[in-house]
Structure formats: C-alpha cells, structure tokens
Amino acid sequence: MLIKNGAVVEDRWITVADDAELSGEWPVIVSLARWRRERDLLTTRNAPVGIRLTSEDALDEIQPDLNHFFLIALDFPTFTDGRPYSTARLLRDRYGFTGELRAVGQVLRDQAQFLVRCGFDAFEVPEGTVAEDWLHGLNDIAVHYQPASDGTAAIPEKRIQL
C-alpha cells in the first residue's frame, strides 16, 4: 500500500532488480549501483526514473543528477535508523529536490508525521496495515516547536506573527 500526500493511492512505480531487464515504458525505481552502471541508458528512457538509496549511499554522488529523478526512495533498514530523515531534509532544503520522496523499509505509523515534517510525501506501508491508522497518524500532533521542511509554521514563528 502507498500513502502519498495524505491519501491512499495506486503505486505506478516498479522497483527493478539490478539484474532484471528494463523494457516497457513504465516508471521504474533502480538502485544506486544500477544508476552508476546504466546512467546513460536510464536518462534516455521515455518513462520516469526513480532511485532507491540506502542509508550508506552518499548524496554528493547523485547531486548532479537530481534533475533526472522523479522519485527518490529512502530505505529505512530499521525503524531506529534516523539517517533517512537527515537525507530527506538535505534533499529538500539544501539540494532543492521537488520530486517525490518516498519512505520505504522499516517505517512505522508513529513516524508518519515526522517523516512529512522532514520532507517525505509518500510512504510504502506494510501489508496488512490499516490505511486509516496511517492517515490519522499524519495529524497526531497539532503544533510544532521546531522548523521543518513541510512548510508548517513552528510555534516561535507563530508568536512573531501575532
């Protein structure tokens, strides 16, 4: 199941294994290793290309190619690994990435609102999950003390506006 921009949506993207053939004109998500090997081929496809990054992958390597990606999937190897949060903030705030940022892997419902605050706009949620629980999780906290990438004003900003 995929939640994007606060709604359950159909996932049009196909994650392609490194050794699988690329044929057809559907949107694909590839690994960084495959992007390195087949960059020239992937940039000439007539369909959108996304990339899946692990916590160990360096953003500096793909920064010059960000304009080629319609989607970046950041993998949470465990729910306690916070590196994808930092990567999402860097992609949105420092590198100006405007495409889809998708959280994949070990993502929990309790993290949904924090993921959005860091710049994620989509989540792959585990099978058997109740979509409504995730959607409610997006609104668990009404006010925030810290600034974030989602554009929501934090309490200090709201005080200045008064």
Side-chain angles (χ1 to χ4, degrees):
M1 174 178 18
L2 181 68
I3 294 178
K4 182 175 178 181
N5 296 323
V8 177
V9 298
E10 178 184 353
D11 188 1
R12 301 179 323 112
W13 291 82
I14 297 170
T15 300
V16 181
D18 285 347
D19 58 351
E21 182 181 339
L22 278 177
S23 59
E25 298 299 322
W26 58 84
V28 296
I29 302 171
V30 297
S31 70
L32 177 59
R34 186 161 194 165
W35 176 257
R36 286 179 189 137
R37 271 194 332 269
E38 301 177 26
R39 181 187 181 283
D40 292 338
L41 171 69
L42 291 165
T43 57
T44 60
R45 288 188 86 236
N46 289 329
V49 175
I51 190 166
R52 183 176 180 137
L53 300 176
T54 68
S55 294
E56 289 80 29
D57 293 332
L59 276 182
D60 293 341
E61 185 174 347
I62 65 159
Q63 189 270 330
D65 293 327
L66 286 177
N67 62 322
H68 293 293
F69 304 122
F70 287 76
L71 174 150
I72 297 177
L74 300 178
D75 184 35
F76 283 78
T78 66
F79 72 91
T80 59
D81 188 338
R83 291 176 289 178
Y85 287 100
S86 300
T87 302
R89 285 291 305 262
L90 288 170
L91 283 165
R92 293 290 193 215
D93 298 343
R94 182 178 296 168
Y95 297 121
F97 181 71
T98 59
E100 179 179 322
L101 267 183
R102 183 180 291 193
V104 299
Q106 298 296 313
V107 181
L108 302 178
R109 176 243 185 246
D110 294 345
Q111 297 171 311
Q113 191 170 28
F114 301 112
L115 292 165
V116 170
R117 301 264 308 142
C118 289
F120 288 95
D121 52 4
F123 327 101
E124 282 183 7
V125 297
E127 284 204 28
T129 301
V130 178
E132 290 76 23
D133 289 344
W134 274 79
L135 297 174
H136 290 297
L138 295 172
N139 300 307
D140 282 346
I141 302 170
V143 294
H144 308 281
Y145 283 99
Q146 73 283 2
S149 295
D150 68 351
T152 303
I155 288 175
E157 295 173 60
K158 290 180 179 183
R159 286 183 181 150
I160 291 171
Q161 294 170 0
L162 294 177

